Amino acid sequence: GSISGSTHQTVNYGASGTAVTPVPSTGYHFVQWSDGSTANPRTDTNVTANITVTASFAINTYQVTATAGSNGSLDGTTPSPVTVNYGATTAFKFNASANYHVATVTDTCGGSGYSNTSNSVSTYTYTTPAITGACGVTATFAINTFTLTYTAGPNGSISGSTHQTVNYGASGT
């Protein structure tokens, strides 16, 4: 952070200084002065001795929450919600239930998310972009699907749909 206002002031005994304001850098906030004061802006009045103080700043932190939809879960090794420092990233691991796959992961953190149509992704770890505010990540899951393809040999034909997509455990026509 920095200080706005005159950082070096000379005042007469018993007089007052002029206001100074701690200005945090992006992603930080003012905490307090080194003498414990939280005045912002600060104006020292009735000065009877030299005063030297330093403004302290701390990084902003934000809560990021992950949610798993039906037929899946947030991995037990991945806590949610988590507190993340400004500018840092975090990751969440999602697990699909048996015979399901991770279909999408969306976030309100500014990331591009994830979209999948393959039955092969039963576990997916999503990493957020740099965090700049409280946000959330949500995963959805879809049942695995299979393709049934029927082809007639020479001198014959097939009646019915020759190309079918069916859900796991379902029947074709």
Side-chain angles (χ1 to χ4, degrees):
S2 62
I3 304 291
S4 173
S6 180
T7 59
H8 183 80
Q9 302 176 28
T10 301
V11 298
N12 292 332
Y13 181 90
S16 298
T18 60
V20 292
T21 303
V23 180
S25 298
T26 300
Y28 289 78
H29 62 277
F30 169 69
V31 177
Q32 68 181 20
W33 295 96
S34 56
D35 64 357
S37 172
T38 57
N40 184 10
R42 175 188 181 122
T43 303
D44 289 297
T45 59
N46 191 27
V47 176
T48 59
N50 291 331
I51 298 173
T52 301
V53 290
T54 302
S56 63
F57 302 91
I59 196 162
N60 294 342
T61 59
Y62 302 100
Q63 189 169 352
V64 181
T65 304
T67 306
S70 299
N71 302 305
S73 63
L74 182 63
D75 191 88
T77 62
T78 308
S80 176
V82 294
T83 300
V84 181
N85 285 345
Y86 174 87
T89 63
T90 190
F92 298 100
K93 183 177 179 183
F94 296 99
N95 298 320
S97 298
N99 305 308
Y100 285 81
H101 61 274
V102 180
T104 63
V105 179
T106 57
D107 76 38
T108 59
C109 305
S112 58
Y114 169 77
S115 182
N116 169 50
T117 57
S118 168
N119 292 338
S120 65
V121 182
S122 61
T123 298
Y124 185 78
T125 300
Y126 182 79
T127 301
T128 66
I131 298 301
T132 59
C135 59
V137 175
T138 303
T140 63
F141 304 89
I143 195 164
N144 293 343
T145 58
F146 300 93
T147 302
L148 306 176
T149 304
Y150 303 97
T151 306
N155 304 314
S157 64
I158 295 178
S159 174
S161 180
T162 60
H163 185 80
Q164 301 175 32
T165 300
V166 297
N167 289 343
Y168 174 87
S171 301
T173 58

